[in-house]
Amino acid sequence: MSEEKKEEFYEKLKTQLQDTSLWPSEYLYKFIVPTNAKEIKQIESIFDNLGAVITTKKSKNGKYTSVSINVRMKNPDAVIEKYKEVGRKVEGVISL
């Protein structure tokens, strides 16, 4: 995805989050990564010290792992910043 499209996506997400939630609020992140302990650990470390509840589940063939993170975030900007951080630091990640 081009940088322009990413920014457009994040602006739309911010508007949706502002319109649908009172902040601070619980937010559920979902990521798909190739099954690799290093990549999963990187995602977990990004949410360290936030009181996040993290669950992982391998795909049927074991090639991919879904990582769900339920965490209380202070505002839409904080939600988006975590998406950007995961995108920068974790190779092969897909954000849902």
Side-chain angles (χ1 to χ4, degrees):
M1 188 183 305
S2 72
E3 281 303 312
E4 190 177 303
K5 288 279 187 207
K6 283 182 188 176
E7 285 307 312
E8 201 175 286
F9 168 78
Y10 289 130
E11 282 301 314
K12 187 175 178 183
L13 176 61
K14 181 177 178 176
T15 301
Q16 289 174 333
L17 292 173
Q18 289 170 330
D19 292 348
T20 60
S21 299
L22 293 173
W23 296 93
S25 183
E26 292 288 320
Y27 187 78
L28 178 63
Y29 290 90
K30 285 191 166 271
F31 302 103
I32 305 288
V33 291
T35 298
N36 172 330
K38 179 181 168 236
E39 307 300 339
I40 295 166
K41 267 283 183 236
Q42 276 186 302
I43 291 175
E44 290 175 349
S45 71
I46 289 168
F47 291 90
D48 266 0
N49 304 316
L50 294 177
V53 176
I54 301 172
T55 55
T56 59
K57 183 179 178 194
K58 285 187 181 177
S59 62
K60 193 163 45 172
N61 65 9
K63 189 174 179 182
Y64 295 96
T65 298
S66 72
V67 181
S68 298
I69 300 156
N70 198 347
V71 62
R72 190 164 185 79
M73 299 301 286
K74 63 182 178 184
N75 58 41
D77 289 326
V79 169
I80 290 166
E81 186 49 46
K82 285 298 180 190
Y83 273 121
K84 289 180 177 180
E85 186 177 352
V86 169
R88 283 191 309 268
K89 294 182 176 178
V90 182
E91 201 169 311
V93 70
I94 299 169
S95 300
L96 303 177

